[in-house]
């Protein structure tokens, strides 16, 4: 069981969780953020057996996944990202990949849902997918549903949600690149 655990990997370190199949932010206290931070060339967090990630039930309790300076988080087994039922105000699940060589693998992701996500900050804060300064968030055409998600790309990072069919209560900010959503059929 890994639920609620903070993870910090750096300086070329490597951590693997080969027997963990789900992860939840189990904090019940307000302002109780949980983060998985991986930084530095060769640094790796392998949680590729996890199939589901569930956010907190508490007020303003975020779940954060970040890669910087050439690090990787492998979550290639995750199919669903969702928020637990509870006080969904001021909380989110966020993925940030920054700098060349940095990567977050979400290649099995089908849906990412934030129950209250509807604004950049505040009570209905979006959950996020953000690739910048050369960072990469990998999804495939299996990623079809985003609800309450803020996706940002500065033109130097990589993120191509070409299979996205349903984009609800979400926001996309794109700079310096061509962006196409050829499968999109629902936009609310």
């Amino acid at each position: 069981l890994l639920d609620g655990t903070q993870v910090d990997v750096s300086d070329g370190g490597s951590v693997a969780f080969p027997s963990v199949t789900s992860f939840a932010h189990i904090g019940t206290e307000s302002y109780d953020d949980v983060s998985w931070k991986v930084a530095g060339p060769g640094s790796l967090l392998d949680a590729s057996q996890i199939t589901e990630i569930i956010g907190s039930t508490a007020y303003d309790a975020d779940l954060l996944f970040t890669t910087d300076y050439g690090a990787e988080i492998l979550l290639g087994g995750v199919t669903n990202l969702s928020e637990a039922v509870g006080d969904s105000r001021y909380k989110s699940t966020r993925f940030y990949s920054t700098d060349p060589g940095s990567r977050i693998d979400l290649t099995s992701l089908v849906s990412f849902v934030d129950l209250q996500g509807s604004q950049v900050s505040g009570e209905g804060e979006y959950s996020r997918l953000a690739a910048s300064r050369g960072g990469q968030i990998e999804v495939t055409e299996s990623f079809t549903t985003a609800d309450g998600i803020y996706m940002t790309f500065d033109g130097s990072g990589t993120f191509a949600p070409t299979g996205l069919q349903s984009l609800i209560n979400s926001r996309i900010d794109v700079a310096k690149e061509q962006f196409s959503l050829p499968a999109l059929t629902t936009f609310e």
Side-chain angles (χ1 to χ4, degrees):
L1 187 65
L2 191 62
D3 291 350
T5 302
Q6 302 272 0
V7 180
D8 193 352
V9 182
S10 62
D11 299 323
S14 178
V15 174
F17 303 120
S19 300
V20 177
T21 58
S22 66
F23 179 75
H25 180 316
I26 59 171
T28 58
E29 298 295 320
S30 296
Y31 313 105
D32 185 16
D33 294 345
V34 171
S35 65
W36 287 13
K37 296 170 68 172
V38 185
S43 298
L44 174 67
L45 173 55
D46 184 350
S48 54
Q49 299 305 309
I50 291 176
T51 59
E52 182 176 41
I53 295 175
I54 301 170
S56 174
T57 61
Y59 171 88
D60 199 9
D62 296 318
L63 184 52
L64 310 165
F65 299 85
T66 62
T67 58
D68 297 302
Y69 307 109
E72 295 180 89
I73 296 177
L74 305 181
L75 292 166
V78 172
T79 57
N80 294 303
L81 297 165
S82 62
E83 194 173 334
V85 175
D87 189 342
S88 59
R89 296 173 298 146
Y90 294 96
K91 69 178 178 177
S92 62
T93 299
R94 302 181 204 168
F95 294 84
Y96 296 108
S97 185
T98 308
D99 304 311
S102 296
R103 178 174 79 104
I104 299 176
D105 175 1
L106 291 168
T107 51
S108 295
L109 185 62
V110 174
S111 70
F112 190 1
V113 176
D114 183 324
L115 299 173
Q116 180 119 352
S118 62
Q119 58 194 52
V120 175
S121 63
E123 191 170 302
E125 182 177 11
Y126 289 114
S127 284
R128 294 179 185 239
L129 292 168
S132 63
R133 296 192 334 239
Q136 185 176 24
I137 294 181
E138 291 184 347
V139 296
T140 64
E141 296 211 359
S142 66
F143 179 40
T144 59
T145 305
D147 186 344
I149 311 305
Y150 183 13
M151 296 173 268
T152 59
F153 317 100
D154 69 357
S156 66
T158 304
F159 178 73
T162 58
L164 204 56
Q165 297 172 14
S166 178
L167 188 60
I168 301 168
N169 295 325
S170 296
R171 176 177 174 163
I172 298 176
D173 285 352
V174 179
K176 303 178 189 170
E177 71 179 70
Q178 300 283 327
F179 198 78
S180 177
L181 297 172
L184 192 65
T185 57
T186 303
F187 183 72
E188 300 174 12

